[in-house]
mmCIF file of all heavy atoms in Angstrom:
data_model
loop_
_atom_site.group_PDB
_atom_site.id
_atom_site.type_symbol
_atom_site.label_atom_id
_atom_site.label_comp_id
_atom_site.label_asym_id
_atom_site.label_seq_id
_atom_site.Cartn_x
_atom_site.Cartn_y
_atom_site.Cartn_z
ATOM 1 N N CYS Q 45 -94.444 -48.275 167.701
ATOM 2 C CA CYS Q 45 -94.383 -47.122 166.841
ATOM 3 C C CYS Q 45 -94.978 -45.988 167.691
ATOM 4 O O CYS Q 45 -96.021 -46.057 168.267
ATOM 5 C CB CYS Q 45 -95.320 -47.394 165.621
ATOM 6 S SG CYS Q 45 -95.319 -46.072 164.398
ATOM 7 N N SER Q 46 -94.187 -44.852 167.856
ATOM 8 C CA SER Q 46 -94.534 -43.838 168.815
ATOM 9 C C SER Q 46 -95.782 -43.025 168.379
ATOM 10 O O SER Q 46 -95.808 -42.348 167.346
ATOM 11 C CB SER Q 46 -93.347 -42.872 168.935
ATOM 12 O OG SER Q 46 -93.704 -41.683 169.601
ATOM 13 N N GLY Q 51 -96.933 -41.554 165.057
ATOM 14 C CA GLY Q 51 -97.053 -42.911 164.521
ATOM 15 C C GLY Q 51 -98.344 -43.639 164.941
ATOM 16 O O GLY Q 51 -99.194 -43.054 165.635
ATOM 17 N N CYS Q 52 -98.502 -44.903 164.511
ATOM 18 C CA CYS Q 52 -99.783 -45.639 164.695
ATOM 19 C C CYS Q 52 -99.905 -46.289 166.090
ATOM 20 O O CYS Q 52 -100.953 -46.653 166.514
ATOM 21 C CB CYS Q 52 -99.929 -46.711 163.640
ATOM 22 S SG CYS Q 52 -98.532 -47.947 163.818
ATOM 23 N N GLY Q 53 -98.795 -46.401 166.819
ATOM 24 C CA GLY Q 53 -98.822 -46.940 168.139
ATOM 25 C C GLY Q 53 -98.809 -48.484 168.244
ATOM 26 O O GLY Q 53 -98.868 -49.012 169.350
ATOM 27 N N THR Q 54 -98.846 -49.141 167.117
ATOM 28 C CA THR Q 54 -98.862 -50.617 167.174
ATOM 29 C C THR Q 54 -97.512 -51.141 167.688
ATOM 30 O O THR Q 54 -96.446 -50.475 167.550
ATOM 31 C CB THR Q 54 -99.139 -51.278 165.829
ATOM 32 O OG1 THR Q 54 -98.150 -50.866 164.919
ATOM 33 C CG2 THR Q 54 -100.523 -50.824 165.324
ATOM 34 N N LEU Q 56 -94.253 -53.282 167.325
ATOM 35 C CA LEU Q 56 -93.465 -53.590 166.151
ATOM 36 C C LEU Q 56 -92.713 -54.914 166.389
ATOM 37 O O LEU Q 56 -92.387 -55.306 167.499
ATOM 38 C CB LEU Q 56 -92.450 -52.483 165.880
ATOM 39 C CG LEU Q 56 -93.046 -51.066 165.708
ATOM 40 C CD1 LEU Q 56 -91.919 -50.042 165.603
ATOM 41 C CD2 LEU Q 56 -93.911 -50.992 164.456
ATOM 42 N N HIS Q 70 -93.584 -53.150 160.984
ATOM 43 C CA HIS Q 70 -94.965 -53.075 161.333
ATOM 44 C C HIS Q 70 -95.632 -54.418 160.965
ATOM 45 O O HIS Q 70 -95.150 -55.095 160.027
ATOM 46 C CB HIS Q 70 -95.681 -51.954 160.507
ATOM 47 C CG HIS Q 70 -95.428 -50.582 161.110
ATOM 48 N ND1 HIS Q 70 -94.258 -49.949 161.041
ATOM 49 C CD2 HIS Q 70 -96.323 -49.755 161.741
ATOM 50 C CE1 HIS Q 70 -94.400 -48.735 161.603
ATOM 51 N NE2 HIS Q 70 -95.622 -48.617 162.092
ATOM 52 N N VAL Q 74 -101.043 -53.030 158.645
ATOM 53 C CA VAL Q 74 -101.181 -51.840 159.477
ATOM 54 C C VAL Q 74 -100.936 -50.552 158.653
ATOM 55 O O VAL Q 74 -100.043 -50.488 157.844
ATOM 56 C CB VAL Q 74 -100.112 -51.845 160.644
ATOM 57 C CG1 VAL Q 74 -100.050 -50.518 161.349
ATOM 58 C CG2 VAL Q 74 -100.445 -52.955 161.606
ATOM 59 N N ARG Q 75 -101.809 -49.580 158.807
ATOM 60 C CA ARG Q 75 -101.628 -48.310 158.112
ATOM 61 C C ARG Q 75 -101.043 -47.293 159.090
ATOM 62 O O ARG Q 75 -101.573 -47.171 160.219
ATOM 63 C CB ARG Q 75 -103.016 -47.765 157.566
ATOM 64 C CG ARG Q 75 -103.667 -48.746 156.589
ATOM 65 C CD ARG Q 75 -105.069 -48.305 156.270
ATOM 66 N NE ARG Q 75 -105.089 -47.219 155.375
ATOM 67 C CZ ARG Q 75 -105.119 -47.379 154.077
ATOM 68 N NH1 ARG Q 75 -105.050 -48.615 153.519
ATOM 69 N NH2 ARG Q 75 -105.148 -46.341 153.263
ATOM 70 N N CYS Q 76 -99.970 -46.644 158.691
ATOM 71 C CA CYS Q 76 -99.232 -45.779 159.591
ATOM 72 C C CYS Q 76 -98.677 -44.541 158.849
ATOM 73 O O CYS Q 76 -98.038 -44.695 157.819
ATOM 74 C CB CYS Q 76 -98.063 -46.565 160.231
ATOM 75 S SG CYS Q 76 -97.091 -45.500 161.284
ATOM 76 N N ALA Q 77 -99.040 -43.365 159.378
ATOM 77 C CA ALA Q 77 -98.618 -42.151 158.744
ATOM 78 C C ALA Q 77 -97.126 -41.857 158.839
ATOM 79 O O ALA Q 77 -96.513 -41.209 157.984
ATOM 80 C CB ALA Q 77 -99.386 -40.957 159.289
ATOM 81 N N LEU Q 78 -96.585 -42.372 159.973
ATOM 82 C CA LEU Q 78 -95.159 -42.072 160.200
ATOM 83 C C LEU Q 78 -94.241 -42.925 159.365
ATOM 84 O O LEU Q 78 -93.205 -42.500 158.844
ATOM 85 C CB LEU Q 78 -94.874 -42.295 161.709
ATOM 86 C CG LEU Q 78 -93.449 -41.941 162.174
ATOM 87 C CD1 LEU Q 78 -93.049 -40.530 161.863
ATOM 88 C CD2 LEU Q 78 -93.378 -42.204 163.708
ATOM 89 N N MET Q 79 -94.644 -44.232 159.172
ATOM 90 C CA MET Q 79 -93.817 -45.145 158.435
ATOM 91 C C MET Q 79 -93.644 -44.633 156.997
ATOM 92 O O MET Q 79 -94.617 -44.318 156.326
ATOM 93 C CB MET Q 79 -94.486 -46.523 158.417
ATOM 94 C CG MET Q 79 -93.654 -47.526 157.686
ATOM 95 S SD MET Q 79 -94.404 -49.208 157.895
ATOM 96 C CE MET Q 79 -96.001 -48.995 157.095
HETATM 97 ZN ZN1 LIG R 401 -96.658 -46.958 162.933
#
Side-chain angles (χ1 to χ4, degrees):
C45 181
S46 166
C52 62
T54 61
L56 304 172
H70 281 73
V74 169
R75 299 171 78 87
C76 177
L78 184 56
M79 182 172 61

